[in-house]
Amino acid sequence: LATNQSIVFLGFAANRITDRGCRSLIAACTQKQSRLESLYLHQNPGITDTSIGPLLEFFKTSPTSLRVLDVSE
């Protein structure tokens, strides 16, 4: 995302992503305006409320094209 702003779909379902990985994703999105439309992070029990809040806040307050955010278990 930091080097390729044309990415519109990311699927990280069931990839053992943790809060640290989620924070890294937020950092990559903030470096340049993201065109990301769909982000699938479901089935990653390592993502807790600790990073869900900042993730939602980022997409709520930043200019983005995000239409789908799946962080379900």
Side-chain angles (χ1 to χ4, degrees):
L1 293 174
T3 59
N4 186 349
Q5 294 90 32
S6 64
I7 294 173
V8 295
F9 174 92
L10 284 177
F12 291 122
N15 274 293
R16 299 183 183 153
I17 307 271
T18 63
D19 286 332
R20 182 178 178 189
C22 195
R23 285 189 303 270
S24 295
L25 179 61
I26 295 168
C29 287
T30 59
Q31 289 183 8
K32 302 214 175 172
Q33 186 173 348
S34 172
R35 293 188 184 145
L36 192 60
E37 294 178 4
S38 302
L39 177 58
Y40 293 89
L41 295 170
H42 59 285
Q43 297 178 342
N44 285 294
I47 298 176
T48 68
D49 290 343
T50 302
S51 57
I52 293 298
L55 182 66
L56 293 174
E57 186 63 27
F58 167 75
F59 285 114
K60 194 165 74 173
T61 61
S62 299
T64 182
S65 306
L66 192 71
R67 295 182 184 143
V68 177
L69 174 61
D70 185 351
V71 291
S72 63
E73 293 180 38

